Amino acid sequence: MTFRITELRWQVSPEFTLAVPSLTLPAERTTAILGRSASGKSTLLSLLGRVEGSYFERPESLSGSIVFDELELLALSERELLQRKLRGQTIGFVFQREGLFPGRSARDNITWPLTALGLSPSEAAARADQALADVGLPADKNVATLSGGERKRLAIARAIAPSPRVLLLDEPLTGLDPEALQGLRDLLQRLASGRTLVMVTHQREDVEQLADHLVFMDHGRVTRAGPRAELGDTLTRFFAGQAITDSHPEVP
Amino acid sequence: MALVLGRSCRAGLCMRPSDFLVQLGAVALSALPLVGIAALFAGMVIALTSSLQLAKLGQAPLVADIVAVSLVQELAPIFTALIMAGKAGAGLASELGMVTLSGQAQAMRALSLDIDRELIAPRVWACIWGTVLLTIAAMFMGLIGGMLLGGAKLGLSPVHYMNRMIGALEPQHFAAGLIKSFGFGALIAAYGVRFGLRDKSDAAALGRHTMSAVVVALFTVLVADYVFTSFIVAAFA
């Protein structure tokens, strides 16, 4: 379940281009993507999960390759992605804006996609209840009544309910109270066993407890990447407020 | 536009009937009073204006023929389409725009939920059939409006008025009106969905896209009306 990125380039706007000449995210490891705001972390994550751009239009300026499990992700159309059920079943995604379905209960937010993936209603309900119990959220609460932290927890529960082998997490633990924070960090640590996790985060504790591998980004470029054990100094500099900009000066 | 309609056709085969009925109720029932009142008065206005000219020629009873044919073939479909573009088109674009803006559309993609089946097909088909059903209601109300005016202003008895109407109307008038309304509904739905699901980053973009959906649909409906009418005139000439 390795992601291998080569010559990836996407001009998102006239002011911002994501350019990743080469990057490998190791299988069954937790990778933390770090960088200042608007450095391209969430954009890169959206490409890994193939939820970039809008529903109807594939971005014209997008080029390059992302190989996942011997599969060229960028070559797949929306329809092919849907038919393969790659998203949801194999790759789970937790969004920064949770994207919960309003007017539904917490349980229904999970069972709806599960039944679409082919589970029976009873099996979907059982999985939903288990996932909600894992994140400590009551099943019957309506989405409209959830607090910010509870919304995050529901988003995590929805992503983990199909038991995906890969989890892409965009700032999953922001806005949580300290007690919930530690509980969910422990949960993610348990989930990381045997899975590939890729997480965008700004929190040092997330990196220290969860990450084995680090990717630093700046202005749409990957500036450093490698095992956390080898990037201790860079990590210290990053959390001391220094920009990590010196790795790929040759990127156009 | 063809993309939206093509996907709606494909996904229409597997959409849940309950989703379609919910959307149809939302689209058609909410617009029914507006369409009904507009058509009633449109029928009365056509009857009034045409009667003034026909009275000069001593042909006042022909009012029923003119009101019936112009309403069924032309005015009811176009009136209904213009109201639906403002109501259903804007509703589609803003609702789907909020789905996009709040990240639900992205989450649906990430969860392998079929957006064509879950969101697009029920709304597109509801908009199309809603436009057709409302056009039928508009025809009915417009004819009643003409009959009321004919009785009140021209002294035509309802039975006489109806007999003239029935004599004037032919199946192809209904067919032309209903085929047009089907096409108009498809245009309104396609633009509503297309603009609604465009990528947007803020409320201003949502507003812009909603306005564009209405403006483009209105313009296209008017152009399409001319094209449809030209074909119909050529076919029956």
Side-chain angles (χ1 to χ4, degrees), chain A residues 52 55 78-79 87-88 97, chain B residues 10 101 109-110 112 116:
Chain A
E52 77 289 348
Y55 180 59
E78 274 291 325
R79 185 100 328 247
R87 299 174 299 191
R97 300 178 298 173
Chain B
R10 187 193 49 74
L101 191 59
R109 290 165 71 193
S112 280
D116 293 346

Side-chain angles (χ1 to χ4, degrees), chain A residues 50-57 78-79 82 85 87-88 95 97 99-102 112-113 116-117 158, chain B residues 3-4 7 10 101-104 106-116 118 120 193-194 197 199:
Chain A
R50 282 307 316 276
V51 290
E52 77 289 348
S54 74
Y55 180 59
F56 285 122
E57 292 129 9
E78 274 291 325
R79 185 100 328 247
L82 200 62
K85 297 193 189 303
R87 299 174 299 191
F95 294 94
R97 300 178 298 173
L100 302 177
F101 308 125
W112 183 29
L117 287 172
R158 190 174 63 178
Chain B
L3 182 72
V4 175
R7 288 185 177 200
R10 187 193 49 74
L101 191 59
S102 64
Q104 289 173 63
Q106 205 179 26
M108 287 180 79
R109 290 165 71 193
L111 291 159
S112 280
L113 281 165
D114 188 348
I115 291 181
D116 293 346
E118 303 289 344
I120 296 175
V193 168
R194 195 80 170 91
L197 285 176
D199 202 17

Side-chain angles (χ1 to χ4, degrees), chain A residues 1 3 49 51 68-69 71 80-94 110 112-120 123-124 127 157-168 194-196, chain B residues 107-113:
Chain A
M1 292 292 141
F3 286 98
V51 290
F68 168 73
D69 200 16
L71 199 64
E80 287 167 330
L81 285 162
L82 200 62
Q83 282 163 351
R84 286 171 182 268
K85 297 193 189 303
L86 191 68
R87 299 174 299 191
Q89 202 163 58
T90 307
I91 302 176
F93 208 120
V94 177
I110 303 174
W112 183 29
L114 285 179
T115 48
L117 287 172
L119 270 68
S120 67
E123 198 182 344
R127 285 240 205 149
R158 190 174 63 178
I160 63 175
S163 303
R165 285 174 294 165
V166 176
L167 265 177
L168 305 177
R195 282 194 176 85
T196 305
Chain B
M108 287 180 79
R109 290 165 71 193
L111 291 159
S112 280
L113 281 165

Side-chain angles (χ1 to χ4, degrees), chain A residues 27-38:
Chain A
E28 298 186 10
R29 293 281 182 277
T30 299
T31 300
I33 304 180
L34 301 157
R36 292 182 291 193
S37 294

